[in-house]
Amino acid sequence: MTQSNTVEEIVSQPYKYGFITEIETEKIPKGLNEDVIRLISAKKNEPDFLLKFRLRAYKQWLKMKEPDWSGLTYSKVDYQDLVYYAAPKQDIKKKSLDEVDPKLLETFEKLGIPLSEQKRLSNVAVDAVFDSVSIATTYKEKLAEHGVIFCSISEAISEYPNLIEKYMGTVVPINDNFFAALNSAVFSDGSFVYIPKGVECPMELSSYFRINSGDTGQFERTLIIAEEASSVSYLEGCTAPMFDTNTLHAAVVELVALDNASIKYSTVQNWYAGNEEGVGGIYNFVTKRGECRGKKSKISWSQVETGSAITWKYPSCVLQGDNSIGEFYSIALTNNCQKADTGTKMIHIGKNTKSKIVSKGISAGQSKNSYRGLVSISPNAEGSRNYSQCDSMLIGDKASANTYPYIQSKQPQSNIEHEASTCRISEDQLFYLQSRGIDFEESVSMLVSGFCSDVFNELPMEFASEADKLLALKLEGSVG
Amino acid sequence: MISSTSETILSIKDLHASVEDQEILHGVNLIVKEGEIHAIMGRNGSGKSTLSKVIAGHPSYKVLSGSIQFKGKDILELEPEERARIGIFLGFQYPVEIPGVSNLEFLRVATNSRRKELLKSELDTFEFEDLVKERLKIVEMNPTFLERSVNEGFSGGEKKRNEILQMALLEPVISILDETDSGLDIDALRIVASGINRLSQPNAATILITHYQRLLNEITPDFVHIMADGKIIKTGNKELAIDLEKSGYDFIDTNTKEKEMAK
């Protein structure tokens, strides 16, 4: 049908962030062994406990096998052919932004993340990570006034080793899975957030991850701790240049919410997806998990996944504290040869715990988009409830969508609801919009936005319109 | 309002069109001039709705031969959105629901695309809200409709009023209203009809597609056309509609038979 062909043309539009920044980079030689891990740790002046943590993880990793249960097929990564540490050459510690290489500032500005004092966003603090290192964090002082710590994980390791030692690896253990073990051994940088007791973080916190080098694996590590009765909203953005080789991105994110604390974690993932034939692009193999350790605590994940050749991630909530709440709101848009296998796990352990899952998958081209999720209710989780809704939209007739909801309940007094639907962009809806003067492209993107609106409503304000634009951009192109 | 110097807005000549490879229109001829109100009546399946969709450019309907001109310009090559922008409006018999898309935002984008064509400035959210609130009065709609998703959960009557609201905002040159009266109770019919009357302009025209005479009690047509088997088989004034109401569609059959016999 010509109509759907045109829709397919629309969803294929060039990647806007594919440029490379020419900058002198310090890289260590390719390959992975104990010495490399010692070298990374030494470069970062890490305390002994952390080196030991890395080495333990490495030993575990050696014993583990790359998983293949998902049915995702990809050319396997040669782990000895990757660089595990790359950093733009500059003086070790930057006091102020003026000292940061202007090229780096320019790069982030081009990506829509201005860092300089005049231009930076007024209500969002940003930690900008370039390849393996954090180059700048804005509004640190202002946050410090409230006792909020927001800095790179490297800085946190040297400044707040007690917090790191207490929490790192407690949500995602080093042997959790193959990629988490690898990350634990070689992670380079990432963000650290600590919200003290009773504090409501005064602004949005945000990390922006940029992969620049082609043969470098990106292994960032994020740790967010919300003490009793505190709250924070954090968001994460990612882009990478276009390379015809596949770059591995294996991050670990750990969230800890104590009594009455709340963490909202939002992601807009727009890593390079590879070309139309599926050459190149990022392998996005990420472990994200949050623990509601305290009573009445709440963790809410929202994600807009538009990039990467392969996305394989399940941001999860372990609902330990009684009356705690877990939420997962997801939009995954795949096109061309992209594959996404994403979803969540809601593990109900405490009494009266609640979880809600809303997933919207949009597949175009020949892409494959799967929702995979687990709702598990343990014997002690009396009075627990879950509601899941998984909707898929197909564009064209070569794309596929799957839903794999796993439900395990060992508690008869629990309540689990699941709804799922699959639809195509309807010709009648398109014609209705067009017959009001709205052009085809805009009509398609309006319908897609409408389909995703339940999730957009959950994104932080500044961010919702950005995400909407990103989807529109992905759906934009030249129509004949 | 009609004078011999009135400009022709729509001129349809010997139009043949099909849907799913089945020919539905078998040679429709119709001329609509400024200031005129036309009613097209006919049984289900006579091709009335098909005609309206073909004029608006629905991609499932193929024009096999013949022409449609709008103000002297052939429009068959134009996309539906281009037809809308130059002032062709189709009021749907069954307006679709579009979940998640805000009615207000939809109306604003639509209005601005028409305004752009008319070289008027585009309206921002605040300016548009002022305009839409004023136009809401024409259809006696509650502003809460603006907050909802397009047509989602609207009753039949609310959907039709939302169509007339769109007509009020887009200020079309020709409005084709496809069974706007169907499924309306007396009150809703009166509101919709008075909206249509208030919106009629000396330099614009309206085509009412309807099954029943009752809408024509509220809106007086200048011409009544009867469609059967993909053609306009009879044209008259509003008396024709009244005759039709009295004797039912069988009277067409008799007439047609007579004609056939005469041949």
Side-chain angles (χ1 to χ4, degrees):
Chain A
M1 229 162 65
T2 55
Q3 193 88 11
S4 62
N5 285 342
T6 357
V7 180
E8 276 166 35
E9 276 165 38
I10 290 175
V11 286
S12 326
Q13 76 108 49
Y15 186 61
K16 218 174 115 185
Y17 307 101
F19 64 91
I20 302 170
T21 307
E22 291 298 331
I23 193 157
E24 253 196 282
T25 309
E26 184 203 352
K27 281 185 191 174
I28 63 170
K30 283 180 177 176
L32 183 58
N33 54 48
E34 260 193 50
D35 290 340
V36 167
I37 290 164
R38 285 176 197 281
L39 183 63
I40 294 171
S41 190
K43 279 203 174 288
K44 302 173 88 67
N45 289 316
E46 288 176 352
D48 193 46
F49 80 85
L50 203 68
L51 175 63
K52 282 185 178 143
F53 176 91
R54 289 177 182 278
L55 291 172
R56 273 203 314 276
Y58 177 65
K59 281 186 188 124
Q60 291 287 338
W61 179 73
L62 286 176
K63 287 187 237 160
M64 296 170 96
K65 266 203 182 141
E66 195 162 338
D68 58 3
W69 50 263
S70 70
L72 294 169
T73 47
Y74 58 95
S75 50
K76 290 284 179 265
V77 179
D78 179 353
Y79 293 94
Q80 295 306 333
D81 195 38
L82 281 181
V83 173
Y84 289 86
Y85 183 84
K89 265 191 189 157
Q90 57 175 5
D91 296 335
I92 301 151
K93 197 77 215 162
K94 295 295 170 199
K95 281 238 170 68
S96 82
L97 274 171
D98 307 337
E99 296 167 58
V100 174
D101 189 326
K103 267 188 197 163
L104 290 174
L105 295 181
E106 209 179 282
T107 301
F108 281 96
E109 200 154 315
K110 239 168 133 175
L111 297 169
I113 319 288
L115 299 170
S116 66
E117 287 214 22
Q118 303 79 28
K119 291 184 193 159
R120 67 191 185 184
L121 304 165
S122 60
N123 46 359
V124 182
V126 178
D127 183 27
V129 180
F130 189 89
D131 282 343
S132 303
V133 293
S134 161
I135 61 155
T137 311
T138 61
Y139 292 113
K140 262 173 144 169
E141 299 77 18
K142 191 179 167 194
L143 291 167
E145 287 168 23
H146 298 262
V148 171
I149 303 170
F150 180 39
C151 62
S152 70
I153 201 105
S154 307
E155 195 178 330
I157 289 164
S158 68
E159 304 289 319
Y160 315 101
N162 295 340
L163 286 173
I164 298 290
E165 196 169 5
K166 183 171 172 192
Y167 288 104
M168 187 181 274
T170 61
V171 182
V172 178
I174 51 173
N175 60 351
D176 188 79
N177 67 67
F178 183 82
F179 297 106
L182 179 63
N183 174 289
S184 302
V186 302
F187 71 89
S188 38
D189 216 335
S191 302
F192 175 77
V193 176
Y194 176 82
I195 315 289
K197 191 170 169 176
V199 172
E200 195 178 311
C201 189
M203 58 190 354
E204 297 273 338
L205 306 182
S206 156
S207 291
Y208 195 89
F209 296 101
R210 172 74 178 168
I211 293 181
N212 194 56
S213 315
D215 51 0
T216 312
Q218 176 115 349
F219 304 96
E220 83 273 346
R221 184 121 196 158
T222 299
L223 176 59
I224 299 178
I225 301 151
E227 290 276 10
E228 279 174 41
S230 70
S231 73
V232 62
S233 169
Y234 173 92
L235 62 97
E236 171 199 270
C238 347
T239 56
M242 300 192 273
F243 292 109
D244 53 8
T245 51
N246 295 106
T247 311
L248 176 66
H249 171 252
V252 170
V253 175
E254 297 177 285
L255 314 180
V256 179
L258 301 175
D259 286 0
N260 297 300
S262 125
I263 301 174
K264 186 177 179 72
Y265 191 107
S266 315
T267 305
V268 167
Q269 186 264 109
N270 189 20
W271 297 118
Y272 177 53
N275 70 7
E276 283 142 52
E277 279 85 48
V279 177
I282 304 282
Y283 290 163
N284 188 35
F285 299 158
V286 174
T287 308
K288 290 183 167 177
R289 194 174 303 154
E291 269 185 25
C292 285
R293 285 193 191 163
K295 285 175 195 150
K296 290 190 180 168
S297 56
K298 177 176 173 184
I299 290 179
S300 176
W301 298 99
S302 43
Q303 59 174 25
V304 178
E305 301 284 319
T306 64
S308 297
I310 300 176
T311 294
W312 197 358
K313 68 179 248 194
Y314 314 94
S316 303
C317 298
V318 181
L319 303 169
Q320 247 165 30
D322 290 347
N323 301 299
S324 59
I325 299 172
E327 292 175 340
F328 175 75
Y329 300 97
S330 170
I331 295 169
L333 171 69
T334 54
N335 190 15
N336 295 324
C337 303
Q338 278 179 279
K339 291 173 194 147
D341 196 298
T342 183
T344 184
K345 291 188 229 173
M346 292 291 173
I347 315 290
H348 293 253
I349 296 168
K351 291 185 177 55
N352 301 313
T353 46
K354 278 191 215 125
S355 64
K356 182 173 177 186
I357 299 169
V358 179
S359 161
K360 305 278 178 176
I362 303 134
S363 356
Q366 306 143 52
S367 66
K368 290 192 170 74
N369 201 327
S370 300
Y371 168 82
R372 191 186 302 272
L374 169 69
V375 175
S376 157
I377 313 253
S378 73
N380 295 329
E382 285 159 32
S384 293
R385 305 173 71 96
N386 162 267
Y387 171 76
S388 305
Q389 182 193 336
C390 305
D391 300 322
S392 312
M393 181 185 260
L394 293 167
I395 298 178
D397 50 12
K398 291 185 211 96
S400 71
N402 291 299
T403 304
Y404 304 100
Y406 298 89
I407 296 167
Q408 298 168 353
S409 180
K410 293 178 183 142
Q411 168 48 252
Q413 308 293 340
S414 63
N415 190 328
I416 301 171
E417 286 174 63
H418 181 90
E419 288 177 23
S421 76
T422 304
C423 65
R424 283 181 188 280
I425 281 204
S426 120
E427 194 177 63
D428 285 337
Q429 288 178 334
L430 265 178
F431 178 65
Y432 189 76
L433 296 177
Q434 284 177 276
S435 74
R436 295 301 179 251
I438 302 169
D439 66 35
F440 183 68
E441 262 179 40
E442 198 173 352
S443 300
V444 171
S445 94
M446 257 188 166
L447 292 175
V448 170
S449 295
F451 174 72
C452 298
S453 63
D454 300 353
V455 176
F456 282 143
N457 294 340
E458 296 302 324
L459 294 173
M461 272 271 276
E462 298 80 6
F463 199 38
S465 68
E466 276 306 301
D468 195 18
K469 269 188 239 157
L470 178 64
L471 284 192
L473 199 75
K474 273 260 165 181
L475 292 165
E476 186 181 87
S478 50
V479 183
Chain B
M1 267 201 293
I2 310 160
S3 72
S4 55
T5 55
S6 289
E7 198 191 336
T8 299
I9 292 175
L10 192 71
S11 160
I12 299 175
K13 285 191 186 130
D14 196 26
L15 184 70
H16 292 252
S18 67
V19 62
E20 287 166 0
D21 294 328
Q22 200 190 341
E23 187 171 325
I24 308 283
L25 300 184
H26 302 291
V28 174
N29 290 290
L30 182 66
I31 305 257
V32 179
K33 291 186 177 176
E34 281 184 338
E36 294 178 348
I37 297 176
H38 290 242
I40 298 178
M41 304 180 76
R43 282 197 176 112
N44 280 336
S46 59
K48 305 184 304 286
S49 280
T50 299
L51 178 64
S52 70
K53 293 220 166 86
V54 171
I55 299 169
H58 194 293
S60 300
Y61 295 80
K62 302 274 172 280
V63 172
L64 305 170
S65 64
S67 69
I68 306 177
Q69 290 190 335
F70 176 80
K71 291 191 166 177
K73 253 186 66 186
D74 190 340
I75 58 161
L76 288 179
E77 291 303 310
L78 298 183
E79 296 294 327
E81 60 268 35
E82 293 168 319
R83 300 184 196 198
R85 285 179 204 149
I86 58 174
I88 298 174
F89 178 84
L90 172 60
F92 285 82
Q93 183 179 6
Y94 304 109
V96 290
E97 302 193 359
I98 307 183
V101 175
S102 131
N103 201 24
L104 181 67
E105 186 57 16
F106 157 69
L107 294 170
R108 190 174 75 87
V109 174
T111 304
N112 278 336
S113 66
R114 171 85 175 119
R115 288 179 68 91
K116 217 167 144 189
E117 182 77 22
L118 296 172
L119 305 174
K120 290 187 188 170
S121 66
E122 290 185 41
L123 301 176
D124 67 27
T125 324
F126 300 108
E127 293 164 333
F128 181 70
E129 261 186 61
D130 292 343
L131 176 71
V132 78
K133 290 210 168 123
E134 175 213 313
R135 299 288 152 95
L136 273 173
K137 292 178 197 151
I138 295 175
V139 285
E140 299 177 33
M141 265 170 93
N142 189 316
T144 52
F145 283 110
L146 301 172
E147 315 292 320
R148 293 163 61 180
S149 295
V150 180
N151 295 327
E152 196 183 28
F154 288 24
S155 70
E158 288 162 352
K159 282 182 182 166
K160 295 297 171 73
R161 282 197 258 173
N162 203 31
E163 293 294 290
I164 303 304
L165 175 63
Q166 291 166 44
M167 178 178 157
L169 289 164
L170 297 175
E171 302 179 4
V173 180
I174 185 155
S175 306
I176 304 151
L177 304 174
D178 188 5
E179 305 216 10
T180 298
D181 53 337
S182 69
L184 295 188
D185 60 32
I186 302 284
D187 290 335
L189 181 73
R190 185 189 48 77
I191 293 167
V192 164
S194 93
I196 297 167
N197 281 327
R198 283 174 67 180
L199 292 170
S200 70
Q201 296 287 331
N203 55 354
T206 307
I207 299 175
L208 303 168
I209 291 174
T210 180
H211 231 60
Y212 305 105
Q213 148 72 14
R214 62 173 194 164
L215 180 66
L216 306 181
N217 291 333
E218 309 276 338
I219 306 169
T220 313
D222 301 300
F223 300 96
V224 174
H225 309 278
I226 294 170
M227 231 176 141
D229 195 26
K231 276 186 201 171
I232 289 177
I233 54 157
K234 201 170 172 59
T235 294
N237 57 18
K238 63 175 182 175
E239 303 303 323
L240 180 59
I242 296 166
D243 288 348
L244 195 65
E245 182 88 342
K246 272 191 219 142
S247 28
Y249 282 99
D250 287 341
F251 122 100
I252 311 170
D253 298 337
T254 337
N255 274 6
T256 329
K257 267 182 203 145
E258 277 165 19
K259 253 202 217 160
E260 299 271 310
M261 299 279 273
K263 271 184 199 170

